[in-house]
Amino acid sequence: MTKFAPRNRKVKILATTGPATEDPEVLRALFRAGADAFRVNMSHGEHAFHAQTIAKIRALEAEFGRPIAILADLQGPKLRVGKIAGGRATIPHGGTFTFDRDPTPGDATRAELPHDEIFRVIEAGQRLLVNDGKIRLRVKSASADAIVCTAEVGGVISDRKGVNVPDAEIPIPALTDKDRRDLAFALEQGVDWIGLSFVQRPEDLIEARELMGDKGALCAKIEKPQAVRRIDEIIAAADGIMVARGDLGVELNPEEVPPLQKKIVNATRLTGKPVIVATQMLESMIESPIPTRAEVSDVANAVYDGADVVMLSAETAAGDWPEEAVLMMNAIASQIEHDEGYKQRVRSLDTPPDATVADALSHACMTIADTVELSAITVFTWSGNTARRVTRGRPAVPVMVLTPSMEVARRVSLLWGTHAVATKDIGSFEEMVAKGKRMALRHGFGSAGSKLIVMAGVPFGVSGATNLLHVVTVKGDELEKHKKAI
């Protein structure tokens, strides 16, 4: 096993896999550069390709002894126009354009829209956006067979271009047949997180939950205005949240997205669940070895806001500079977290503890870490819930999460500030203290004289029983004594 030092930052980096990461040496380079977790985009590629990618990530995990989370991102429903005669046509600005049910190839005045769900809900005055919002249509009239629009912004329409409906809730489930097949495949492969697209309401998560059973964790992608209106309910129903700014930026005015991003990050942070900021963070690095200053500021703002994870998409999946993109994101995050104003900024959100013993102790960890010089907070957990409670307050020191479950270790590795370790369970108070010290030494979170918080629940081995917090001092010879005892 290759020894690998802990990350020198608390926010996590999620890198998307794809053609650019097919070589296992590229994946290894991304991990060493700073990628903490990997995203498998089910919108592209065959199952066989994704299976190979997942196997390569698990090989990395074994090589470095570090739990690595894998998120399988489902495509979700895609609303598209029909065919266009000659492949493309130009809708003039201010012109009239009609969507109908006629499968005949369309032109500059009409096209088929093969989605009954849209015809059922669309109303006059609402918008239809085509080709990622490049064409903006305003509905003049709508019937069961025709939607007549005015082109506020015209442009080129071509075969099977996507359609967004920002002003109406579409009565369509979040899972398609393809998604169900992809979900079954991802669970068989043992992925840790499932990203659910096209979430409009909390009920959209029900089917995915039922299909997942007790496998993996569910991340709701917020990319629809309808989801923003019910964000608290969706956060409660999910295990994590992704601010998917791509489609969100298509369906909303650009200036609306930044405050919504902050709102969603804050609402998710209050629950302690991980929140991912995604899409176009270092977009120019798909082709350039350096980002724009605006992109650097964008990443920095997400880090200042206390997001758990920042994500790279095409930058690592298909870009020319995947390793450089991860190195840049790592450098930005590290620089921000060492800014003297970072602690105040990241804690500007008040996260009061719930009225439980576990929450009170978790909140106390932050206070102790601010008062006493600690090297780490060590948490023993079966379910990961204690880790979620502790990291919610954004403590000043790393949180080393010890769990007997590799699945839990991978899952909690997306939480801000965590260093997850899959290890044997403990059976007594003395064993808890001894193992906490040994793991701190083994994983680089202390040396002789270092102080640690050790947190667990009595009786040991019972999920949800966190009721013990202990401050210990490392002597420095614990690993050697343990070897001699064995």
Side-chain angles (χ1 to χ4, degrees):
M1 186 184 295
T2 304
K3 186 172 177 59
F4 196 76
R7 305 289 192 200
N8 191 29
R9 56 173 160 74
K10 295 186 172 71
V11 68
K12 302 303 176 75
I13 295 175
L14 176 62
T16 301
T17 59
T21 64
E22 187 170 4
D23 184 343
E25 288 305 316
V26 175
L27 277 175
R28 181 180 285 103
L30 296 191
F31 175 78
R32 297 189 72 96
D36 302 287
F38 291 94
R39 169 178 173 255
V40 175
N41 188 355
M42 304 307 295
S43 297
H44 307 287
E46 302 296 327
H47 283 181
F49 179 84
H50 295 317
Q52 291 172 1
T53 298
I54 292 168
K56 292 168 190 173
I57 296 169
R58 293 302 181 222
L60 271 181
E61 185 178 68
E63 177 184 350
F64 291 101
R66 180 78 59 86
I68 301 175
I70 300 174
L71 184 147
D73 198 337
L74 303 181
Q75 176 176 282
K78 292 298 178 185
L79 306 175
R80 300 185 185 279
V81 303
K83 294 213 170 228
I84 304 296
R88 55 188 287 156
T90 300
I91 303 172
H93 296 305
T96 297
F97 190 84
T98 302
F99 288 110
D100 56 39
R101 298 172 181 271
D102 183 357
T104 303
D107 53 30
T109 64
R110 60 154 295 276
E112 179 194 14
L113 187 59
H115 298 287
D116 178 66
E117 301 89 353
I118 297 178
F119 283 89
R120 295 208 309 264
V121 299
I122 200 72
E123 296 177 355
Q126 294 180 335
R127 293 167 295 162
L128 289 171
L129 312 177
V130 183
N131 192 12
D132 291 334
K134 294 182 178 67
I135 298 173
R136 306 178 73 84
L137 307 173
R138 183 75 62 176
V139 178
K140 290 200 296 185
S141 64
S143 68
D145 299 309
I147 303 170
V148 181
C149 309
T150 299
E152 294 183 339
V153 178
V156 175
I157 185 170
S158 52
D159 290 343
R160 306 290 296 157
K161 281 300 180 183
V163 178
N164 291 79
V165 189
D167 303 325
E169 186 172 301
I170 310 299
I172 188 172
L175 288 174
T176 65
D177 289 341
K178 170 180 163 52
D179 293 327
R180 295 183 188 95
R181 292 192 298 271
D182 289 343
L183 176 58
F185 161 79
L187 295 176
E188 287 169 7
Q189 293 291 315
V191 305
D192 311 293
W193 285 85
I194 298 294
L196 186 64
S197 300
F198 211 85
V199 173
Q200 300 182 90
R201 48 198 166 253
E203 293 80 9
D204 288 335
L205 280 68
I206 294 173
E207 183 183 2
R209 282 278 191 210
E210 291 174 346
L211 292 172
M212 290 170 66
D214 60 355
K215 296 179 180 178
L218 185 58
C219 180
K221 295 171 62 180
I222 307 303
E223 52 194 353
K224 306 286 291 179
Q226 293 76 18
V228 175
R229 297 179 196 126
R230 302 184 66 180
I231 189 63
D232 290 334
E233 296 170 81
I234 291 171
I235 293 171
D239 298 307
I241 294 293
M242 180 188 292
V243 188
R245 305 180 304 176
D247 279 324
L248 199 58
V250 170
E251 301 209 359
L252 294 168
N253 295 320
E255 67 274 14
E256 295 179 273
V257 177
L260 280 178
Q261 175 180 313
K262 291 180 182 295
K263 173 184 175 180
I264 296 166
V265 168
N266 286 348
T268 310
R269 279 190 54 190
L270 285 173
T271 69
K273 297 176 181 181
V275 56
I276 304 167
V277 176
T279 317
Q280 297 178 331
M281 299 213 80
L282 296 176
E283 184 84 352
S284 66
M285 290 193 75
I286 295 172
E287 298 175 345
S288 169
I290 57 172
T292 67
R293 304 299 182 268
E295 289 167 339
V296 172
S297 294
D298 182 38
V299 175
N301 274 320
V303 178
Y304 274 126
D305 288 343
D308 293 82
V309 185
V310 285
M311 191 179 102
L312 293 164
S313 299
E315 300 96 326
T316 54
D320 296 332
W321 308 92
E323 183 180 358
E324 288 78 4
V326 176
L327 285 168
M328 177 56 65
M329 187 165 270
N330 180 72
I332 297 167
S334 298
Q335 182 73 33
I336 297 307
E337 290 185 10
H338 285 88
D339 174 26
E340 61 183 15
Y342 171 71
K343 180 178 173 182
Q344 181 181 357
R345 287 279 301 273
V346 83
R347 288 201 193 160
S348 61
L349 177 70
D350 186 25
T351 54
D354 297 334
T356 66
V357 171
D359 257 83
L361 290 176
S362 298
H363 190 73
C365 286
M366 186 173 70
T367 304
I368 295 170
D370 286 344
T371 308
V372 179
E373 187 175 344
L374 299 174
S375 60
I377 298 166
T378 302
V379 174
F380 290 85
T381 181
W382 270 81
S383 65
N385 284 335
T386 304
R388 184 164 59 83
R389 290 186 177 101
V390 172
T391 60
R392 180 172 70 164
R394 300 302 189 246
V397 298
V399 179
M400 187 166 58
V401 183
L402 306 181
T403 175
S405 167
M406 177 57 88
E407 289 74 21
V408 171
R410 291 167 177 160
R411 201 175 302 167
V412 301
S413 69
L414 282 190
L415 289 171
W416 183 97
T418 55
H419 178 92
V421 179
T423 183
K424 292 179 182 177
D425 198 17
I426 52 174
S428 68
F429 176 82
E430 293 76 14
E431 190 180 352
M432 176 193 78
V433 172
K435 175 163 274 195
K437 292 179 179 180
R438 291 198 307 272
M439 288 298 177
L441 289 170
R442 185 170 293 157
H443 292 271
F445 291 105
S447 55
S450 295
K451 287 185 170 56
L452 306 168
I453 288 177
V454 181
M455 192 172 176
V458 178
F460 296 102
V462 178
S463 179
T466 302
N467 56 9
L468 187 153
L469 185 155
H470 194 55
V471 180
V472 301
T473 302
V474 178
K475 292 184 177 179
D477 61 354
E478 285 86 355
L479 281 175
E480 194 60 37
K481 283 185 175 181
H482 184 63
K483 288 178 183 175
K484 288 179 180 178
I486 293 174

PDB file of all heavy atoms in Angstrom, residues 105-133:
ATOM      1  N   PRO A 105     -40.873  16.214 -40.708  1.00  0.00           N
ATOM      2  CA  PRO A 105     -39.749  17.084 -40.368  1.00  0.00           C
ATOM      3  C   PRO A 105     -40.133  18.554 -40.406  1.00  0.00           C
ATOM      4  O   PRO A 105     -40.864  19.005 -41.287  1.00  0.00           O
ATOM      5  CB  PRO A 105     -38.704  16.743 -41.437  1.00  0.00           C
ATOM      6  CG  PRO A 105     -38.991  15.314 -41.775  1.00  0.00           C
ATOM      7  CD  PRO A 105     -40.481  15.180 -41.690  1.00  0.00           C
ATOM      8  N   GLY A 106     -39.650  19.309 -39.437  1.00  0.00           N
ATOM      9  CA  GLY A 106     -40.030  20.708 -39.284  1.00  0.00           C
ATOM     10  C   GLY A 106     -39.215  21.646 -40.136  1.00  0.00           C
ATOM     11  O   GLY A 106     -38.360  21.243 -40.928  1.00  0.00           O
ATOM     12  N   ASP A 107     -39.476  22.958 -39.954  1.00  0.00           N
ATOM     13  CA  ASP A 107     -38.775  23.994 -40.702  1.00  0.00           C
ATOM     14  C   ASP A 107     -38.653  25.232 -39.809  1.00  0.00           C
ATOM     15  O   ASP A 107     -38.705  25.126 -38.583  1.00  0.00           O
ATOM     16  CB  ASP A 107     -39.503  24.306 -42.005  1.00  0.00           C
ATOM     17  CG  ASP A 107     -40.980  24.636 -41.804  1.00  0.00           C
ATOM     18  OD1 ASP A 107     -41.324  25.175 -40.723  1.00  0.00           O
ATOM     19  OD2 ASP A 107     -41.788  24.371 -42.716  1.00  0.00           O
ATOM     20  N   ALA A 108     -38.534  26.395 -40.422  1.00  0.00           N
ATOM     21  CA  ALA A 108     -38.355  27.629 -39.660  1.00  0.00           C
ATOM     22  C   ALA A 108     -39.633  28.099 -38.982  1.00  0.00           C
ATOM     23  O   ALA A 108     -39.598  29.064 -38.203  1.00  0.00           O
ATOM     24  CB  ALA A 108     -37.819  28.736 -40.573  1.00  0.00           C
ATOM     25  N   THR A 109     -40.771  27.439 -39.260  1.00  0.00           N
ATOM     26  CA  THR A 109     -42.048  27.882 -38.687  1.00  0.00           C
ATOM     27  C   THR A 109     -42.670  26.875 -37.729  1.00  0.00           C
ATOM     28  O   THR A 109     -43.558  27.236 -36.955  1.00  0.00           O
ATOM     29  CB  THR A 109     -43.068  28.158 -39.807  1.00  0.00           C
ATOM     30  OG1 THR A 109     -43.344  26.941 -40.506  1.00  0.00           O
ATOM     31  CG2 THR A 109     -42.527  29.214 -40.772  1.00  0.00           C
ATOM     32  N   ARG A 110     -42.236  25.602 -37.774  1.00  0.00           N
ATOM     33  CA  ARG A 110     -42.864  24.586 -36.926  1.00  0.00           C
ATOM     34  C   ARG A 110     -41.912  23.405 -36.717  1.00  0.00           C
ATOM     35  O   ARG A 110     -40.936  23.218 -37.468  1.00  0.00           O
ATOM     36  CB  ARG A 110     -44.151  24.052 -37.545  1.00  0.00           C
ATOM     37  CG  ARG A 110     -43.956  23.382 -38.910  1.00  0.00           C
ATOM     38  CD  ARG A 110     -45.045  22.349 -39.205  1.00  0.00           C
ATOM     39  NE  ARG A 110     -45.016  21.219 -38.301  1.00  0.00           N
ATOM     40  CZ  ARG A 110     -44.222  20.149 -38.460  1.00  0.00           C
ATOM     41  NH1 ARG A 110     -43.370  20.064 -39.486  1.00  0.00           N
ATOM     42  NH2 ARG A 110     -44.270  19.162 -37.598  1.00  0.00           N
ATOM     43  N   ALA A 111     -42.246  22.612 -35.680  1.00  0.00           N
ATOM     44  CA  ALA A 111     -41.524  21.364 -35.446  1.00  0.00           C
ATOM     45  C   ALA A 111     -42.374  20.486 -34.552  1.00  0.00           C
ATOM     46  O   ALA A 111     -43.235  20.963 -33.783  1.00  0.00           O
ATOM     47  CB  ALA A 111     -40.170  21.625 -34.796  1.00  0.00           C
ATOM     48  N   GLU A 112     -42.141  19.173 -34.639  1.00  0.00           N
ATOM     49  CA  GLU A 112     -42.827  18.237 -33.743  1.00  0.00           C
ATOM     50  C   GLU A 112     -42.256  18.370 -32.335  1.00  0.00           C
ATOM     51  O   GLU A 112     -41.045  18.559 -32.151  1.00  0.00           O
ATOM     52  CB  GLU A 112     -42.629  16.806 -34.226  1.00  0.00           C
ATOM     53  CG  GLU A 112     -43.301  15.777 -33.317  1.00  0.00           C
ATOM     54  CD  GLU A 112     -42.832  14.353 -33.575  1.00  0.00           C
ATOM     55  OE1 GLU A 112     -41.801  14.171 -34.264  1.00  0.00           O
ATOM     56  OE2 GLU A 112     -43.483  13.427 -33.062  1.00  0.00           O
ATOM     57  N   LEU A 113     -43.139  18.270 -31.348  1.00  0.00           N
ATOM     58  CA  LEU A 113     -42.727  18.186 -29.945  1.00  0.00           C
ATOM     59  C   LEU A 113     -43.339  16.905 -29.378  1.00  0.00           C
ATOM     60  O   LEU A 113     -44.511  16.887 -28.991  1.00  0.00           O
ATOM     61  CB  LEU A 113     -43.216  19.416 -29.166  1.00  0.00           C
ATOM     62  CG  LEU A 113     -42.719  19.538 -27.720  1.00  0.00           C
ATOM     63  CD1 LEU A 113     -41.200  19.598 -27.664  1.00  0.00           C
ATOM     64  CD2 LEU A 113     -43.318  20.764 -27.045  1.00  0.00           C
ATOM     65  N   PRO A 114     -42.581  15.813 -29.352  1.00  0.00           N
ATOM     66  CA  PRO A 114     -43.154  14.508 -29.009  1.00  0.00           C
ATOM     67  C   PRO A 114     -43.272  14.265 -27.506  1.00  0.00           C
ATOM     68  O   PRO A 114     -42.828  13.232 -26.982  1.00  0.00           O
ATOM     69  CB  PRO A 114     -42.159  13.536 -29.650  1.00  0.00           C
ATOM     70  CG  PRO A 114     -40.858  14.242 -29.588  1.00  0.00           C
ATOM     71  CD  PRO A 114     -41.164  15.710 -29.756  1.00  0.00           C
ATOM     72  N   HIS A 115     -43.855  15.239 -26.795  1.00  0.00           N
ATOM     73  CA  HIS A 115     -43.985  15.108 -25.348  1.00  0.00           C
ATOM     74  C   HIS A 115     -45.380  15.566 -24.932  1.00  0.00           C
ATOM     75  O   HIS A 115     -45.630  16.775 -24.761  1.00  0.00           O
ATOM     76  CB  HIS A 115     -42.916  15.938 -24.634  1.00  0.00           C
ATOM     77  CG  HIS A 115     -41.515  15.500 -24.941  1.00  0.00           C
ATOM     78  ND1 HIS A 115     -40.969  14.339 -24.438  1.00  0.00           N
ATOM     79  CD2 HIS A 115     -40.566  16.065 -25.742  1.00  0.00           C
ATOM     80  CE1 HIS A 115     -39.719  14.214 -24.899  1.00  0.00           C
ATOM     81  NE2 HIS A 115     -39.468  15.234 -25.688  1.00  0.00           N
ATOM     82  N   ASP A 116     -46.278  14.620 -24.779  1.00  0.00           N
ATOM     83  CA  ASP A 116     -47.648  14.937 -24.387  1.00  0.00           C
ATOM     84  C   ASP A 116     -47.692  15.708 -23.066  1.00  0.00           C
ATOM     85  O   ASP A 116     -48.575  16.546 -22.858  1.00  0.00           O
ATOM     86  CB  ASP A 116     -48.449  13.637 -24.277  1.00  0.00           C
ATOM     87  CG  ASP A 116     -49.873  13.869 -23.819  1.00  0.00           C
ATOM     88  OD1 ASP A 116     -50.641  14.503 -24.566  1.00  0.00           O
ATOM     89  OD2 ASP A 116     -50.203  13.445 -22.688  1.00  0.00           O
ATOM     90  N   GLU A 117     -46.718  15.421 -22.170  1.00  0.00           N
ATOM     91  CA  GLU A 117     -46.709  16.058 -20.858  1.00  0.00           C
ATOM     92  C   GLU A 117     -46.637  17.581 -20.971  1.00  0.00           C
ATOM     93  O   GLU A 117     -47.243  18.294 -20.166  1.00  0.00           O
ATOM     94  CB  GLU A 117     -45.515  15.551 -20.031  1.00  0.00           C
ATOM     95  CG  GLU A 117     -45.503  14.057 -19.794  1.00  0.00           C
ATOM     96  CD  GLU A 117     -44.774  13.292 -20.897  1.00  0.00           C
ATOM     97  OE1 GLU A 117     -44.397  13.930 -21.913  1.00  0.00           O
ATOM     98  OE2 GLU A 117     -44.579  12.088 -20.740  1.00  0.00           O
ATOM     99  N   ILE A 118     -45.893  18.070 -21.950  1.00  0.00           N
ATOM    100  CA  ILE A 118     -45.774  19.528 -22.109  1.00  0.00           C
ATOM    101  C   ILE A 118     -47.097  20.120 -22.595  1.00  0.00           C
ATOM    102  O   ILE A 118     -47.549  21.153 -22.090  1.00  0.00           O
ATOM    103  CB  ILE A 118     -44.636  19.870 -23.083  1.00  0.00           C
ATOM    104  CG1 ILE A 118     -43.289  19.395 -22.513  1.00  0.00           C
ATOM    105  CG2 ILE A 118     -44.595  21.379 -23.352  1.00  0.00           C
ATOM    106  CD1 ILE A 118     -42.107  19.651 -23.423  1.00  0.00           C
ATOM    107  N   PHE A 119     -47.731  19.474 -23.559  1.00  0.00           N
ATOM    108  CA  PHE A 119     -49.010  19.959 -24.075  1.00  0.00           C
ATOM    109  C   PHE A 119     -50.062  20.025 -22.967  1.00  0.00           C
ATOM    110  O   PHE A 119     -50.948  20.880 -23.007  1.00  0.00           O
ATOM    111  CB  PHE A 119     -49.501  19.051 -25.208  1.00  0.00           C
ATOM    112  CG  PHE A 119     -48.798  19.263 -26.518  1.00  0.00           C
ATOM    113  CD1 PHE A 119     -47.642  18.563 -26.816  1.00  0.00           C
ATOM    114  CD2 PHE A 119     -49.274  20.182 -27.448  1.00  0.00           C
ATOM    115  CE1 PHE A 119     -46.983  18.753 -28.017  1.00  0.00           C
ATOM    116  CE2 PHE A 119     -48.624  20.390 -28.649  1.00  0.00           C
ATOM    117  CZ  PHE A 119     -47.466  19.673 -28.941  1.00  0.00           C
ATOM    118  N   ARG A 120     -49.952  19.150 -21.984  1.00  0.00           N
ATOM    119  CA  ARG A 120     -50.967  19.093 -20.917  1.00  0.00           C
ATOM    120  C   ARG A 120     -50.854  20.247 -19.927  1.00  0.00           C
ATOM    121  O   ARG A 120     -51.836  20.601 -19.279  1.00  0.00           O
ATOM    122  CB  ARG A 120     -50.868  17.759 -20.169  1.00  0.00           C
ATOM    123  CG  ARG A 120     -51.207  16.543 -21.028  1.00  0.00           C
ATOM    124  CD  ARG A 120     -51.775  15.390 -20.185  1.00  0.00           C
ATOM    125  NE  ARG A 120     -50.966  15.055 -19.044  1.00  0.00           N
ATOM    126  CZ  ARG A 120     -50.060  14.068 -19.027  1.00  0.00           C
ATOM    127  NH1 ARG A 120     -49.841  13.356 -20.118  1.00  0.00           N
ATOM    128  NH2 ARG A 120     -49.377  13.799 -17.935  1.00  0.00           N
ATOM    129  N   VAL A 121     -49.662  20.832 -19.802  1.00  0.00           N
ATOM    130  CA  VAL A 121     -49.484  21.819 -18.733  1.00  0.00           C
ATOM    131  C   VAL A 121     -49.121  23.217 -19.221  1.00  0.00           C
ATOM    132  O   VAL A 121     -49.262  24.191 -18.475  1.00  0.00           O
ATOM    133  CB  VAL A 121     -48.405  21.346 -17.727  1.00  0.00           C
ATOM    134  CG1 VAL A 121     -48.823  20.043 -17.066  1.00  0.00           C
ATOM    135  CG2 VAL A 121     -47.040  21.202 -18.393  1.00  0.00           C
ATOM    136  N   ILE A 122     -48.637  23.352 -20.447  1.00  0.00           N
ATOM    137  CA  ILE A 122     -48.144  24.653 -20.898  1.00  0.00           C
ATOM    138  C   ILE A 122     -49.298  25.633 -21.076  1.00  0.00           C
ATOM    139  O   ILE A 122     -50.398  25.257 -21.499  1.00  0.00           O
ATOM    140  CB  ILE A 122     -47.340  24.512 -22.214  1.00  0.00           C
ATOM    141  CG1 ILE A 122     -46.429  25.716 -22.422  1.00  0.00           C
ATOM    142  CG2 ILE A 122     -48.256  24.295 -23.402  1.00  0.00           C
ATOM    143  CD1 ILE A 122     -45.254  25.765 -21.499  1.00  0.00           C
ATOM    144  N   GLU A 123     -49.033  26.901 -20.745  1.00  0.00           N
ATOM    145  CA  GLU A 123     -50.057  27.935 -20.841  1.00  0.00           C
ATOM    146  C   GLU A 123     -49.500  29.168 -21.539  1.00  0.00           C
ATOM    147  O   GLU A 123     -48.283  29.369 -21.599  1.00  0.00           O
ATOM    148  CB  GLU A 123     -50.542  28.333 -19.429  1.00  0.00           C
ATOM    149  CG  GLU A 123     -51.229  27.206 -18.664  1.00  0.00           C
ATOM    150  CD  GLU A 123     -51.614  27.644 -17.266  1.00  0.00           C
ATOM    151  OE1 GLU A 123     -51.261  28.796 -16.885  1.00  0.00           O
ATOM    152  OE2 GLU A 123     -52.244  26.842 -16.546  1.00  0.00           O
ATOM    153  N   ALA A 124     -50.415  29.983 -22.065  1.00  0.00           N
ATOM    154  CA  ALA A 124     -50.024  31.241 -22.702  1.00  0.00           C
ATOM    155  C   ALA A 124     -49.234  32.099 -21.718  1.00  0.00           C
ATOM    156  O   ALA A 124     -49.559  32.171 -20.531  1.00  0.00           O
ATOM    157  CB  ALA A 124     -51.258  31.990 -23.193  1.00  0.00           C
ATOM    158  N   GLY A 125     -48.193  32.742 -22.221  1.00  0.00           N
ATOM    159  CA  GLY A 125     -47.360  33.595 -21.387  1.00  0.00           C
ATOM    160  C   GLY A 125     -46.119  32.900 -20.862  1.00  0.00           C
ATOM    161  O   GLY A 125     -45.168  33.571 -20.434  1.00  0.00           O
ATOM    162  N   GLN A 126     -46.128  31.564 -20.890  1.00  0.00           N
ATOM    163  CA  GLN A 126     -44.961  30.839 -20.394  1.00  0.00           C
ATOM    164  C   GLN A 126     -43.893  30.732 -21.476  1.00  0.00           C
ATOM    165  O   GLN A 126     -44.131  31.014 -22.652  1.00  0.00           O
ATOM    166  CB  GLN A 126     -45.382  29.454 -19.887  1.00  0.00           C
ATOM    167  CG  GLN A 126     -46.296  29.530 -18.657  1.00  0.00           C
ATOM    168  CD  GLN A 126     -46.713  28.167 -18.152  1.00  0.00           C
ATOM    169  OE1 GLN A 126     -46.741  27.185 -18.900  1.00  0.00           O
ATOM    170  NE2 GLN A 126     -47.066  28.092 -16.880  1.00  0.00           N
ATOM    171  N   ARG A 127     -42.688  30.293 -21.059  1.00  0.00           N
ATOM    172  CA  ARG A 127     -41.559  30.224 -21.981  1.00  0.00           C
ATOM    173  C   ARG A 127     -41.208  28.790 -22.347  1.00  0.00           C
ATOM    174  O   ARG A 127     -41.399  27.869 -21.550  1.00  0.00           O
ATOM    175  CB  ARG A 127     -40.322  30.875 -21.347  1.00  0.00           C
ATOM    176  CG  ARG A 127     -40.425  32.366 -21.120  1.00  0.00           C
ATOM    177  CD  ARG A 127     -39.296  32.837 -20.205  1.00  0.00           C
ATOM    178  NE  ARG A 127     -39.411  32.261 -18.869  1.00  0.00           N
ATOM    179  CZ  ARG A 127     -38.414  32.205 -17.984  1.00  0.00           C
ATOM    180  NH1 ARG A 127     -37.222  32.689 -18.307  1.00  0.00           N
ATOM    181  NH2 ARG A 127     -38.612  31.677 -16.777  1.00  0.00           N
ATOM    182  N   LEU A 128     -40.693  28.635 -23.558  1.00  0.00           N
ATOM    183  CA  LEU A 128     -40.063  27.394 -23.996  1.00  0.00           C
ATOM    184  C   LEU A 128     -38.676  27.763 -24.504  1.00  0.00           C
ATOM    185  O   LEU A 128     -38.525  28.664 -25.326  1.00  0.00           O
ATOM    186  CB  LEU A 128     -40.874  26.721 -25.105  1.00  0.00           C
ATOM    187  CG  LEU A 128     -42.211  26.092 -24.682  1.00  0.00           C
ATOM    188  CD1 LEU A 128     -43.007  25.672 -25.909  1.00  0.00           C
ATOM    189  CD2 LEU A 128     -41.967  24.883 -23.787  1.00  0.00           C
ATOM    190  N   LEU A 129     -37.661  27.078 -23.995  1.00  0.00           N
ATOM    191  CA  LEU A 129     -36.278  27.377 -24.357  1.00  0.00           C
ATOM    192  C   LEU A 129     -35.705  26.199 -25.127  1.00  0.00           C
ATOM    193  O   LEU A 129     -35.867  25.043 -24.730  1.00  0.00           O
ATOM    194  CB  LEU A 129     -35.435  27.626 -23.103  1.00  0.00           C
ATOM    195  CG  LEU A 129     -36.037  28.594 -22.066  1.00  0.00           C
ATOM    196  CD1 LEU A 129     -35.146  28.688 -20.846  1.00  0.00           C
ATOM    197  CD2 LEU A 129     -36.242  29.973 -22.685  1.00  0.00           C
ATOM    198  N   VAL A 130     -35.045  26.472 -26.234  1.00  0.00           N
ATOM    199  CA  VAL A 130     -34.502  25.428 -27.101  1.00  0.00           C
ATOM    200  C   VAL A 130     -32.986  25.581 -27.200  1.00  0.00           C
ATOM    201  O   VAL A 130     -32.466  26.710 -27.218  1.00  0.00           O
ATOM    202  CB  VAL A 130     -35.140  25.493 -28.512  1.00  0.00           C
ATOM    203  CG1 VAL A 130     -34.618  24.355 -29.395  1.00  0.00           C
ATOM    204  CG2 VAL A 130     -36.663  25.441 -28.416  1.00  0.00           C
ATOM    205  N   ASN A 131     -32.304  24.438 -27.254  1.00  0.00           N
ATOM    206  CA  ASN A 131     -30.845  24.427 -27.431  1.00  0.00           C
ATOM    207  C   ASN A 131     -30.143  25.196 -26.311  1.00  0.00           C
ATOM    208  O   ASN A 131     -29.419  26.173 -26.552  1.00  0.00           O
ATOM    209  CB  ASN A 131     -30.472  24.998 -28.816  1.00  0.00           C
ATOM    210  CG  ASN A 131     -29.019  24.743 -29.182  1.00  0.00           C
ATOM    211  OD1 ASN A 131     -28.344  23.952 -28.522  1.00  0.00           O
ATOM    212  ND2 ASN A 131     -28.541  25.414 -30.214  1.00  0.00           N
ATOM    213  N   ASP A 132     -30.370  24.734 -25.063  1.00  0.00           N
ATOM    214  CA  ASP A 132     -29.745  25.343 -23.882  1.00  0.00           C
ATOM    215  C   ASP A 132     -30.055  26.829 -23.745  1.00  0.00           C
ATOM    216  O   ASP A 132     -29.209  27.623 -23.286  1.00  0.00           O
ATOM    217  CB  ASP A 132     -28.223  25.136 -23.898  1.00  0.00           C
ATOM    218  CG  ASP A 132     -27.828  23.685 -23.681  1.00  0.00           C
ATOM    219  OD1 ASP A 132     -28.611  22.946 -23.059  1.00  0.00           O
ATOM    220  OD2 ASP A 132     -26.748  23.290 -24.147  1.00  0.00           O
ATOM    221  N   GLY A 133     -31.260  27.221 -24.177  1.00  0.00           N
ATOM    222  CA  GLY A 133     -31.703  28.595 -23.993  1.00  0.00           C
ATOM    223  C   GLY A 133     -31.253  29.554 -25.061  1.00  0.00           C
ATOM    224  O   GLY A 133     -31.552  30.759 -24.971  1.00  0.00           O
TER     225      GLY A 133
END
